[in-house]
Amino acid sequence: MDYLQKYLEKFESNGQQEFASSIRKTASEVGDKYLNSFDFSSNQIGLLFGNVQSGKTGHVFGIACEAANKGFPFFLMLTTDNTLLQEQTYKRAKIDLSGFIICSENDEQKFRDHGEKPVIIVVKKNTRILKAWADRFRNSRLLEGNALFIIDDEADTASLNTKINNNRQSTINRYITNIRDSALCSMYLQVTGTPQSLLLQTQQSDWHPAFTYYFKPGKGYLGGDFFFPENQVPHFVHFIDDQTPIDNAKQVVLRHLVVSAQILLSGGNVSNCLVHPGIKQSAHQRAKENIEKGIAWWSYHHTDEKFERLFDDEYQSIEPSKYNKMDHNAIKTKVLEMLEKKDFSIVILNGTSNDNESNYQTGCNFIVGGTNLGRGVTFAQLNTFYYTRTSKSPQADTMWQHSRMFGYDRDPGLVTMYSSRELYSLFASINETNNSIIKQAEHKQKITIAYPDNLNPTRGSVLDKSLLNILVGGSNHFPVNPKNNTLTQISNMVQKFSDNSSAVPVSLHFVDELLKHFQAEESFNLKGYISMIEAAYAKSSLKQGYLLVRRNRDITRGTRALLSPNDWKESNKYEDSFVISLYQVIGQKEKGWSGEPVWVPNIKLPKSKNFYII
C-alpha cells in the first residue's frame, strides 16, 4: 500500500488540491533527502518547522505516511500535556490515517495486536503517560528489532532537558530517552513553529537536529510579515501608550463590535477578540473589568455625538476581503442590538477559570488570558488583538506562541492590533529573526540566531550555558593564533584596498569568502562568525559590510585589543554593520608569533543585536 497516496486522496477528493500538493512536496522531499539515507541501525534527529498555526499537523501526517512507505512500522506522536489537544490529535489521526492502527494513551492491547499495519500511538508529554509507555515498549519487546519513528509536536516545550546546567536529566526528557532507546533504532522528528531552543542545543546534548526542513504556509495565511512588515507599521496597528487603560478598552470594544457585526451579518457564526495582559491572574481580572467598563460606557453613551463620530470612523476603516461590506445602518443597528441585549461573552482562560472552548465558539466574544492562550489553542475568526503584557525578561519563542494572531481564517481587511510601541518593536524583532532562520534553513546553512539585548531567544534552563556563547552586539573579536590559507591568497584578495583609507563598503559575500581563507584556534568559533555573516546576506543578498585593511603592523601576540585607537574609532562609526579590520602582522618571534608575517582578522559585530552560537 502507498500510505502517502491513500492519505492525500482524502484531500484531493474534497477539492483541497493545493493543500495535498504542499503535503506531497514536504513528505517526498523529507523522504528523498533524509528517510532514504536512514541506516535502520542508529538514532537520528531532525527538525520540521513551519509558521505558527500554518498546518503543521497535516504535513507531519504526510511524513509519517512516507516513513511507513520506507519501512517504519512503529510511530509515537507526542503532544503537549493538554488532554483536549491530545484527544483532538488522536481523533484527527483516526480520520486521516486510515491505513494505520491508531492508539490512544490506554490502547496497549491494540498496539500489541497491530498485525502488519503501521501503528501510531498518540500520547501527551506527561510523566505518568510516558513512564507507562516506556514500560509497555520494554515489556512487549516489539521494538527490540524494529525502528521507532517519534514525532514530537511542539518539541521545544517539555521535551528538552531543563536540568542540563545541573548535570542532571529532567523527568520527561529521561522518559523520552528511555522510549527512544527501547527500539533498535529511531528517527526523532522535532516539530514546532518556534525552533530557537532546538537550534541552540549542543551536539553533546543529543537533541540538536541533524537536519532542518522548513515548509511554507499555504494561500491565505496571515503571518509575521503581515503584522510586522519591514520598516513600516501597518495602518491597522494602534499604539496604546498615550491613553488610559479604560480609554483603550473603549476603543477595542467599539472596534470589535463593528467587526463582529460585519461578520455575523455576513453569515459568519463567531467573531473573537483576544486580550493578552500577561500571565498574572490579577491582570486578567483587571483586563476583564476594563472590557466590561468599555461596554458599559458605550451602552450608556450610544446616543452621544461621540459614538456617532467614532462608529463612523470604525465603519469607514473596515475593508472585508472575505465578505461583502454590509450597509452602514445595518452594522450600526447590529452593534446597538448587541449592546442592548448584552449579546456577547467575556471569557477568561487561566488556571482558575471555569470558562472553556464552548464559551467562544459562537457569537461575539472577548477572550482574556495568558499562558493558557499558548501552544495548540486555536480561536476561530480571531481578528481583534489587544496586548498589554509586559515582561522583565521576554522570551522570543514564548511571546510568538502566545500571540495567537497568525492563521488562515483571519480577514486582512478586519484585523486590528492594539499594542504598546515597545511590545510591537519586540514582535517585529522576533519576526525579523524568524525570517532569518527560515532563509538560512532554505539555503541549507548553519543557522545563527540573533536578538536585541532586551530579548532572549528562549528559556535559559534548556540551554547548556557552558557551551552557549552569547556575543554582545558592537563587540570586537579576533583569533589569538590565526592561520592563513594562504598568506599570498589573502594578500591578493585585498590588494586593491589601501592601507591609508577609511573603512570601505564591501559585499558580505566577499567577506564570507575572505574569512574562509583563515583557520583559528578552537576557542575562536570562526565557523560561527562566518554563519552570522551568511545569515545576514541570506536575508538580503546585497547586504554590505565594511573592510579596513592595514599592513606591516608590529603587534605583540595575545594582547587584549588588536586595533589601534584610530582604527577602533573608525570601525565604530558603522554601528549596525559587520566591520572586518584585516591586519597584516610582521610576526616577530620575540613578540609571540611564528617569525612569519600573518593576516589577523578582527570582526566587529553589529551593535543592534546579540548573537547566540554554540
Side-chain angles (χ1 to χ4, degrees), residues 553-559 585-595:
R553 293 299 170 114
D554 190 10
I555 297 172
T556 300
R557 180 174 170 267
T559 54
V585 177
I586 295 173
Q588 298 181 65
K589 282 189 176 182
E590 57 268 27
K591 293 198 174 181
W593 302 95
S594 65

Side-chain angles (χ1 to χ4, degrees), residues 63 66 90 100 107 120 123 160 233 256 276 279 297 312 339 367 426 428 487 500 502 531 539 578 589 607:
I63 291 173
E66 184 67 1
Y90 168 68
F100 286 66
D107 291 337
I120 183 167
V123 303
L160 296 174
V233 177
H256 189 57
H276 198 323
I279 63 174
W297 200 92
D312 287 345
L339 287 170
I367 304 165
L426 286 174
L487 178 77
N500 301 316
S502 57
S531 294
K539 178 185 175 186
F578 285 97
K589 282 189 176 182
K607 189 176 181 180

Side-chain angles (χ1 to χ4, degrees), residues 22 26 49-51 54 59 213-218 408 438 442:
S22 176
T26 297
F49 78 100
N51 301 70
S54 66
H59 287 258
Y213 185 92
Y214 168 76
F215 71 90
K216 295 180 179 179
Y408 288 100
I438 289 168
E442 289 179 327

Side-chain angles (χ1 to χ4, degrees), residues 240 245 248-249 252 273-277 291 384-388 418-419:
I240 62 176
N248 287 322
V252 170
C273 167
L274 189 70
V275 183
H276 198 323
I291 295 295
T384 311
F385 308 91
Y386 180 28
Y387 299 113
T388 63
Y418 298 87
S419 165

Side-chain angles (χ1 to χ4, degrees), residues 104 152 180 308 403 521 576:
S104 191
D152 190 349
R180 183 194 64 187
E308 296 289 340
S403 68
E521 63 275 10
D576 293 329

